[in-house]
Amino acid sequence: MKIIMLGAPGAGKGTQAKQIAAKYNIPHISTGDIFRANIKNGTELGKKAKEYMDQGLLVPDELTCDLVMDRIAQDDAKNGFVLDGFPRTIPQAEALTAALTKIGQSMDFAIDVDVPDENIIGRMSGRRACLKCGATYHIVSIPPKQEGICDTCGSELVLRDDDQPDTVKKRLDVYHAQTQPLIEYYSKQGILKSVSGTQPMETVFANIVEILGE
Ligand code: AMP
């Protein structure tokens, strides 16, 4: 099963994507996580990506597309994958469609996790991330067992630079301008499904499972 998660930053698509990956036994491919790992390891890609990410801007398509195409060509992705944070622009979506068409494949579902803008800013200021293992928390809805400490690896949790309120506003503008058009793109492909992201996380996941099947 090949799934794309759509939705504004902070809509909860990452949390849902991780659960989908676990339930359907497919890899969770998050471009944000890949960029953050590169930043942490001080790679050239990481240095370039950071300049854009810190400003709330998208990393250019030419740095993003090849990386995803290489990842989905790996062995563990041959039975499907869930893409989280990619595509984020029409050219990225077109590159993905073209790469899959070449090998006689196509995406199965694009799931839009819909949350109004007014809910997003509050949500993101409560987000906490572990920069070591990539786990994410929320001080209200998904608190770690011990405040400020990652349940999984014991590292310190932080508010990501790009989750700071001013950057969040910028990211929302970028979302509306560049990513929201993908809703129409996948609607035209006939694979768009929408779920309301303002419900409790478990309900959102149950709605998604209804769409994907048990
Ligand atoms: P995320 O963790 O998905 O919210 O991504 C964090 C940041 O990484 C975004 O605000 C962008 O700067 C960058 N990023 C992640 N995925 C993409 C993508 N598909 N295209 C361009 N930039 C991306």
Side-chain angles (χ1 to χ4, degrees):
M1 191 146 44
K2 293 190 282 303
I3 305 161
I4 293 167
M5 299 304 289
L6 296 174
K13 59 185 186 309
T15 307
Q16 297 298 332
K18 282 179 197 151
Q19 291 191 60
I20 293 170
K23 180 171 171 69
Y24 297 95
N25 204 15
I26 49 178
H28 167 219
I29 302 177
S30 155
T31 38
D33 283 353
I34 297 174
F35 288 136
R36 282 184 288 277
N38 275 275
I39 292 173
K40 205 172 140 239
N41 295 330
T43 68
E44 271 315 303
L45 173 66
K47 279 178 204 150
K48 284 187 194 150
K50 188 171 170 25
E51 284 173 31
Y52 298 92
M53 290 168 76
D54 283 353
Q55 297 177 65
L57 299 173
L58 294 184
V59 178
D61 291 341
E62 57 272 25
L63 293 180
T64 309
C65 287
D66 288 351
L67 180 138
V68 176
M69 302 319 155
D70 287 348
R71 180 64 190 87
I72 63 178
Q74 284 172 25
D75 239 20
D76 66 337
K78 65 176 182 297
N79 293 324
F81 45 83
V82 51
L83 291 178
D84 166 15
F86 183 95
R88 251 180 163 103
T89 64
I90 292 283
Q92 289 181 11
E94 286 170 344
L96 178 64
T97 303
L100 290 173
T101 306
K102 237 192 220 169
I103 52 169
Q105 295 189 14
S106 59
M107 294 304 297
D108 298 306
F109 295 98
I111 299 177
D112 178 41
V113 182
D114 183 34
V115 176
D117 280 10
E118 50 273 27
N119 299 28
I120 297 279
I121 294 182
R123 275 188 183 205
M124 286 175 82
S125 60
R127 224 147 80 147
R128 295 293 179 272
C130 174
L131 298 185
K132 183 148 183 244
C133 75
T136 48
Y137 301 86
H138 189 280
I139 52 178
V140 179
S141 54
I142 328 172
K145 291 194 187 86
Q146 192 187 340
E147 197 184 317
I149 303 291
C150 179
D151 292 351
T152 313
C153 74
S155 302
E156 196 185 339
L157 299 177
V158 299
L159 179 66
R160 273 170 26 191
D161 287 345
D162 59 346
D163 284 345
Q164 304 287 345
D166 280 351
T167 315
V168 170
K169 286 198 194 94
K170 179 75 200 159
R171 290 171 71 193
L172 271 176
D173 290 345
V174 167
Y175 167 76
H176 289 300
Q178 293 182 266
T179 308
Q180 210 172 17
L182 295 179
I183 293 180
E184 199 189 326
Y185 180 89
Y186 286 111
S187 170
K188 281 193 182 142
Q189 285 201 359
I191 61 166
L192 181 77
K193 304 282 174 187
S194 234
V195 293
S196 165
T198 50
Q199 313 172 91
M201 263 177 342
E202 302 73 33
T203 315
V204 178
F205 187 59
N207 288 173
I208 292 176
V209 171
E210 264 172 44
I211 293 166
L212 301 179
E214 274 298 339

